[in-house]
């Protein structure tokens, strides 16, 4: 079982940034039906989880500095429902085991919220996410305002998005969170190595996905942190290809974008390798260019550097390389300035990573990229995608899609690649493809 981070410390950190008349109100995400009366497995909202470790649906959390800062609304105990869906801690459990100072049934929100909101001038709340929650809050403010006419206590008049404070805190990972992220990375590394060894012409993309899923769960993860991509051949040019239905063919590259979620934190890794274990010359040329861009970008992930420096580094290397190999024509600075490179490189070079695969935290302010700080974790994932029908591209490159993605921690010194264990240079990748055993680097039998 993953060690849980100290969620009381997360709450204390947030509360320390709030004035006496500020509060935070968060709701958990809805529990969706998959079809008919079958539900998707519930996965807690990351803000709620980061502040409380609460994992069940129908939850709201209210935090305000004071003697009893932490109020939780949650599903009430219900022996009949619990027989079907498992034990509910209920408000009693929330107080006894989750550290809540006060807890009430979720159904009692409308009753208690007006009282809690009295005297709150600034509320941190995500308007526009869920209509029902907005209505409930506005109704509660209305009630509180009526009471305020008599008791003189104010009601919220200023609203801040959780992005401004809470997400800035989540952006900087502490040591406990990094332990979980390192474990997510370890399992992800093992799964990618296994996939390289086992994928082969004649196997189907979904079969390779199943091996990845197996290792994620076998090694203690909860499963993929996002939909796994196993894309053979030109399928790799579809950026969010997740159907994973096709047979791998001799001569195909295989692009796998898969990350294990462990203790709610996810890795996010992409590797591209030859199904038959040997890059063709055109595949190798594009691969080495993407790799060169990735290494240049990783080198820019340093404290004090602007976040965008890694993207700028990747774009420059990719553009220079595309001119060299005849994918683009023209002067490099102009191709960059006019964004001509976007014909083959359409996405950004990375994103924050943590509880969410595209994790929270601003990338900059007022159009300016923010400086990186130790503890921030991002992906670095340049790629090139040359459509099979692209008549502007030399024929040998058509249908090649390559991305290389690692998870990189900003430190006081050199960037730390949490996922460095997945083979990356051409020789290492080909060797991993030749490996007879897919099951290496695992801790459990
Ligand atoms: N796997 C999603 C991404 O790389 O952003
Ligand atoms: Mn990514
Ligand atoms: Mn990815």
């Amino acid at each position: 079982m993953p060690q849980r981070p100290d969620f009381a410390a997360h709450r204390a950190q947030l509360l320390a940034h709030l004035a006496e008349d500020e509060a935070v109100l968060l709701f958990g995400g809805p529990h969706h039906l998959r079809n008919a009366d079958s539900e998707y497995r519930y996965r807690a909202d990351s803000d709620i989880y980061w502040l409380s470790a609460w994992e069940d649906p129908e939850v709201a959390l209210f935090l305000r500095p004071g003697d009893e800062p932490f109020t939780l609304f949650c599903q009430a105990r219900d022996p009949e429902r619990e027989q079907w869906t498992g034990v509910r801690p209920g408000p009693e459990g929330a107080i006894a085991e989750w550290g809540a100072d006060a807890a009430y049934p979720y159904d009692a929100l409308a009753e208690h919220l007006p009282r809690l909101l009295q005297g709150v001038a600034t509320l941190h709340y995500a308007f526009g996410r869920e209509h029902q929650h907005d209505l409930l809050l506005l109704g509660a403010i209305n009630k509180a305002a009526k009471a305020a006419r008599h008791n003189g206590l104010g009601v919220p008049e200023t609203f801040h998005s959780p992005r401004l404070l809470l997400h800035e805190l989540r952006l900087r990972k502490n040591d406990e969170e990094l332990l979980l992220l390192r474990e997510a990375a370890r399992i992800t590394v093992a799964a990618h190595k296994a996939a390289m060894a086992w994928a082969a012409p004649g196997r189907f993309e979904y079969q390779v996905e199943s091996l990845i899923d197996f290792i994620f769960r076998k090694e203690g993860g909860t499963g993929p942190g996002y939909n796994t991509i196993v894309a053979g051949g030109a399928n790799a040019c579809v950026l969010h290809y997740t159907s994973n239905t096709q047979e791998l063919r001799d001569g195909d590259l295989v692009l796998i974008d898969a990350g294990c979620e462990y203790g709610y934190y996810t890795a996010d890794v992409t590797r591209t390798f030859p199904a038959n274990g040997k890059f063709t010359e055109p595949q190798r040329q594009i691969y080495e260019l993407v790799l060169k861009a990735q290494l240049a970008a990783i080198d820019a992930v340093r404290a004090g550097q602007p976040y965008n420096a890694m993207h700028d580094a990747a774009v420059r290397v990719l553009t220079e390389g595309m001119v060299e190999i005849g994918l683009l024509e023209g002067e490099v600075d102009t191709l960059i300035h006019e964004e001509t490179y976007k014909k083959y490189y359409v996405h950004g070079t990375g994103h924050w990573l943590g509880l969410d695969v595209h994790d929270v935290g601003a990338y900059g302010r007022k159009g300016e990229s923010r400086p990186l700080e130790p503890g921030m974790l991002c992906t670095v994932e340049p790629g090139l995608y040359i459509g099979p029908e692209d008549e502007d591209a030399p024929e040998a490159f058509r249908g090649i899609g390559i991305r290389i993605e690692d998870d990189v921690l900003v430190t006081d010194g050199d960037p730390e690649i949490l996922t460095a264990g997945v083979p990356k240079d051409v020789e290492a990748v080909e060797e991993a493809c030749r490996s007879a055993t897919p099951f290496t680097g695992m801790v459990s039998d």
Side-chain angles (χ1 to χ4, degrees):
M1 282 285 284
Q3 284 286 318
R4 281 183 170 167
D6 183 352
F7 295 95
H10 292 173
R11 287 195 296 277
Q13 207 185 342
L14 179 66
L15 285 161
H17 284 83
L18 298 180
E20 248 174 51
D21 60 356
E22 264 182 276
V24 174
L25 175 65
L26 298 169
F27 286 87
H31 198 177
H32 289 293
L33 289 175
R34 182 175 180 277
N35 62 304
D37 59 353
S38 296
E39 293 171 338
Y40 281 105
R41 182 184 286 179
Y42 188 72
R43 197 277 193 186
D45 171 85
S46 296
D47 284 338
I48 293 272
Y49 188 74
W50 193 81
L51 285 165
S52 68
W54 196 263
E55 297 185 83
D56 296 337
E58 294 192 297
V59 59
L61 179 152
F62 185 84
L63 289 176
R64 183 181 175 185
D67 296 338
E68 296 193 339
F70 175 23
T71 304
L72 193 82
F73 293 86
C74 61
Q75 291 173 321
R77 299 289 316 260
D78 180 343
E80 202 184 318
R81 289 308 311 154
E82 287 176 42
Q83 164 133 49
W84 289 89
T85 56
V87 174
R88 297 177 173 183
E92 309 85 324
I95 291 172
E97 289 172 52
W98 270 260
D101 299 302
Y104 307 99
Y106 187 77
D107 294 345
L109 247 170
E111 180 191 330
H112 290 278
L113 205 48
R115 171 178 55 79
L116 291 168
L117 290 171
Q118 287 182 37
V120 173
T122 300
L123 186 67
H124 296 246
Y125 173 77
F127 269 114
R129 236 179 56 161
E130 185 66 55
H131 188 56
Q132 292 305 326
H133 300 159
D134 292 351
L135 286 181
L136 201 143
L137 173 61
L138 293 173
I141 290 175
N142 208 347
K143 260 194 175 177
K146 283 183 186 143
R149 281 191 217 131
H150 305 290
N151 62 23
L153 293 170
V155 294
E157 288 181 348
T158 304
F159 297 90
H160 286 179
S161 159
R163 282 199 300 272
L164 295 180
L165 174 56
L166 173 57
H167 293 176
E168 285 298 298
L169 299 178
R170 273 181 54 194
L171 173 57
R172 296 160 178 91
K173 274 67 184 176
N174 63 30
D175 288 347
E176 283 178 321
E177 294 177 289
L178 286 171
L179 272 182
L180 298 174
L181 285 157
R182 285 180 206 286
E183 185 62 3
R186 180 194 70 76
I187 299 170
T188 302
V189 167
H192 274 269
K193 284 165 72 175
M196 282 181 187
W198 194 72
R203 297 215 200 278
F204 281 77
E205 293 163 342
Y206 60 84
Q207 293 180 311
V208 180
E209 180 185 8
S210 76
L211 175 68
I212 291 167
D213 283 344
F214 167 68
I215 292 170
F216 283 178
R217 296 291 278 141
K218 171 182 168 294
E219 293 293 296
T222 35
Y226 54 91
N227 289 333
T228 295
I229 297 170
V230 180
N235 293 339
C237 298
V238 179
L239 296 178
H240 285 173
Y241 176 82
T242 53
S243 57
N244 303 348
T245 51
Q246 302 297 306
E247 187 175 354
L248 301 177
R249 290 163 315 180
D250 198 20
D252 276 354
L253 289 176
V254 188
L255 182 152
I256 297 183
D257 186 343
C260 179
E261 185 176 272
Y262 181 83
Y264 279 78
Y265 288 78
T266 192
D268 180 10
V269 171
T270 307
R271 286 295 185 271
T272 312
F273 59 90
N276 66 12
K278 189 88 191 135
F279 285 94
T280 64
E281 186 52 26
Q283 289 170 347
R284 191 191 56 75
Q285 269 188 298
I286 304 284
Y287 186 90
E288 293 202 319
L289 175 52
V290 174
L291 180 56
K292 188 174 172 195
Q294 203 229 15
L295 296 177
I298 289 174
D299 197 51
V301 180
R302 292 175 183 277
Q305 286 279 339
Y307 172 80
N308 254 353
M310 68 152 148
H311 182 62
D312 294 343
V315 163
R316 180 152 295 275
V317 172
L318 289 175
T319 308
E320 285 170 359
M322 284 192 276
V323 171
E324 259 167 49
I325 63 176
L327 263 177
L328 293 181
E329 266 178 48
E331 209 259 317
V332 169
D333 285 332
T334 312
L335 295 170
I336 293 175
H337 182 70
E338 293 179 354
E339 300 189 335
T340 316
Y341 64 86
K342 285 192 173 171
K343 182 163 164 53
Y344 298 113
Y345 184 37
V346 289
H347 56 77
T349 300
H351 50 82
W352 303 129
L353 185 69
L355 286 168
D356 298 321
V357 63
H358 296 162
D359 208 29
V360 293
Y363 291 96
R365 275 208 189 93
K366 296 183 181 157
E368 286 283 299
S369 187
R370 75 186 301 158
L372 296 174
E373 297 168 34
M376 292 177 175
L377 177 68
C378 63
T379 66
V380 180
E381 50 177 306
L384 285 177
Y385 313 90
I386 304 144
E389 317 276 332
D390 185 339
E391 297 195 352
D392 299 338
E395 205 172 334
F397 295 141
R398 291 181 204 162
I400 294 180
I402 292 176
R403 179 164 64 256
I404 306 174
E405 175 174 29
D406 279 301
D407 304 341
V408 182
L409 179 66
V410 185
T411 73
D412 288 321
D414 291 336
E416 182 186 341
I417 307 172
L418 301 192
T419 48
V422 195
K424 198 156 68 172
D425 64 47
V426 164
E427 292 69 33
V429 168
E430 289 184 345
E431 193 186 326
C433 292
R434 283 196 298 273
S435 164
T437 165
F439 300 105
T440 56
M442 292 178 216
V443 291
S444 54
D445 290 328

